[in-house]
Amino acid sequence: MTLSPIGAFARMHDPDRFLCSLFAPPERREALFALVALNHELARAREAASNPVAALIRLQWWREAIEDAAAGRPPRRHEVAAPLHAAIADGALDVAALLAMVEAREIEAEEEGIATEQDFVAWLRGTAGGWSAAAGLALGATVERAEVLRALGAAYGLAGALRSVAAHAGQGRCLLPRDRLAAAGLQAEALVAAPDSAGALVAALAGEGLEALRGARRDVPRAVIAAALPAVLARRDLARLAQGRPVAVPRGAAARLAVMIAGWRGRV
């Protein structure tokens, strides 16, 4: 399989969603690769910025790049912005869904972090959930089905947030909700200094997420299965995290095979 530059970018920076995107119809894959790449750029806005204001400026740049494409203005010179512009101009991606993904990232730039579990869930639904919803719309899902996909994508986002506690701590960040930290007798600053101290809370959140995923709707048409496939990885990751076990990085063959089987069967 010969990849376009945006496909190669997606594979390099987000191999999970890249693999899932391969189960989209061939004519829709480039749009999904652009969506994967956009999500990567939004996710790294705070990580790559020297301060919260700089992170918001990065997010605004992407907001304006999306708006430029929607308004028919020329694309910006950027390896992701150009193919994203093309996908928007072709009507392959929903502009409102993309802008919502940008907005959902703004909470990551707040110095005090995420205050409540309700805010945390909204963040998961808007970011990782937003990717799955936008991908579903690109594949022809109805608005109702896109919301089913949003919930499945949020589960993948939860697994990712829990897997990344130590990585975020290394960046001086904590994205776990402060109210749950307090209930566990933890503070964000202490967790950043000693990320292993969150082990019990990570296991508890993973268990709650796994239970919610088990009860979630998964009735999505085969045509949009690519947008639902991150839930396969979420289920595996949350099960391991709930048991206090690490998630292998990079993914092992068993995890990739689980995604492929679900994609071939057309159900998660």
Side-chain angles (χ1 to χ4, degrees):
M1 178 180 178
T2 301
L3 286 176
S4 63
I6 195 63
F9 184 99
R11 181 175 63 181
M12 176 181 294
H13 294 290
D14 191 342
D16 284 357
R17 290 189 179 92
F18 169 80
L19 175 60
C20 296
S21 298
L22 295 180
F23 289 89
E27 67 276 12
R28 301 282 184 167
R29 286 178 194 154
E30 289 299 300
L32 288 200
F33 293 157
L35 185 62
V36 171
L38 171 65
N39 185 70
H40 168 75
E41 292 295 326
L42 298 179
R44 68 184 294 270
R46 180 63 186 96
E47 175 185 342
S50 58
N51 57 70
V53 173
L56 291 175
I57 291 172
R58 283 177 175 267
L59 292 176
Q60 181 61 23
W61 192 94
W62 284 105
R63 183 180 287 109
E64 292 174 358
I66 294 166
E67 291 170 345
D68 285 347
R73 291 188 284 270
R76 299 187 172 203
R77 297 185 122 187
H78 186 281
E79 61 183 330
V80 173
L84 178 68
H85 185 285
I88 294 170
D90 289 344
L93 294 174
D94 184 89
V95 171
L98 301 182
L99 292 175
M101 288 173 62
V102 178
E103 182 177 356
R105 291 287 174 182
E106 291 185 351
I107 196 172
E108 296 176 25
E110 296 183 7
E111 291 190 16
E112 62 272 22
I114 299 176
T116 69
E117 186 171 3
Q118 183 178 0
D119 295 331
F120 184 65
V121 171
W123 171 66
L124 295 174
R125 288 180 59 82
T127 54
W131 184 88
S132 286
L137 292 172
L139 296 172
T142 64
V143 172
E144 178 188 0
R145 285 290 189 269
E147 290 307 305
V148 172
L149 292 164
R150 183 185 301 280
L152 297 176
Y156 178 79
L158 173 61
L162 298 178
R163 284 189 288 116
S164 302
V165 166
H168 289 151
Q171 301 162 7
R173 297 196 293 158
C174 173
L175 293 177
L176 300 183
R178 291 202 313 272
D179 60 351
R180 289 298 299 267
L181 288 170
L186 299 168
Q187 292 183 337
E189 296 77 9
L191 188 149
V192 167
D196 288 346
S197 64
L201 177 58
V202 166
L205 290 171
E208 293 166 16
L210 185 61
E211 188 63 27
L213 181 57
R214 286 171 177 156
R217 288 179 58 186
R218 294 190 292 276
D219 53 330
V220 296
R222 177 181 286 271
V224 304
I225 194 63
L229 288 175
V232 175
L233 295 171
R235 184 164 51 240
R236 295 173 60 87
D237 291 353
L238 291 172
R240 293 183 68 88
L241 292 164
Q243 297 169 0
R245 300 161 61 199
V247 175
V249 179
R251 296 279 183 194
R256 296 194 299 273
L257 182 60
V259 172
M260 294 167 68
I261 290 173
W264 288 327
R265 289 179 174 175
R267 63 177 186 271
V268 296

